[in-house]
Amino acid sequence: MSATSRGHRNAPLTPEGRLRLCLRVDAGRPIAHVAAEAGISRRCLAKWYARWLAHGENSLTDRSSRPIASPNRTRPESMPRMLRPSPPTTRPCVTSRSS
């Protein structure tokens, strides 16, 4: 098994296992049954199966979960201002309340 197909600790299946599941579905088994036997969601297997039909075996490799765009990401010009130390407070720090 190559380094890219090992997957992370919680990965349901390797690309080879995903291919075996797709082949079972392609042979006529219901997606829900094959998914239940593998312990994954029907939606996940349906996504893998559609990807395999459209793009072939190489499409079953692990994909990055990083978003394509981050519209709410902090702008680089704001970073220096955010990293500056806070100004000192004018009130003393109170550690306990008196009754």
Side-chain angles (χ1 to χ4, degrees):
M1 193 182 295
S2 70
T4 57
S5 66
R6 269 188 257 144
H8 59 82
R9 182 169 50 102
N10 295 324
L13 290 168
T14 63
E16 293 84 8
R18 294 172 192 165
L19 175 61
R20 282 193 298 274
L21 296 179
C22 289
L23 291 172
R24 285 186 203 164
V25 173
D26 205 46
R29 300 270 333 261
I31 289 179
H33 293 191
V34 176
E37 293 165 0
I40 59 172
S41 70
R42 183 207 173 285
R43 182 178 177 189
C44 184
L45 181 53
K47 181 173 55 174
W48 289 341
Y49 184 64
R51 200 186 309 161
W52 176 68
L53 287 176
H55 304 289
E57 194 173 327
N58 288 335
S59 66
L60 298 175
T61 57
D62 292 333
R63 293 179 162 196
S64 173
S65 59
R66 181 175 184 226
I68 294 171
S70 299
N72 295 322
R73 182 176 50 195
T74 303
R75 294 186 315 247
E77 59 269 15
S78 299
M79 291 303 292
R81 180 174 44 109
M82 291 171 45
L83 296 176
R84 265 186 274 163
S86 300
T89 59
T90 56
R91 295 182 355 200
C93 180
V94 177
T95 57
S96 65
R97 293 183 178 196
S98 57
S99 305

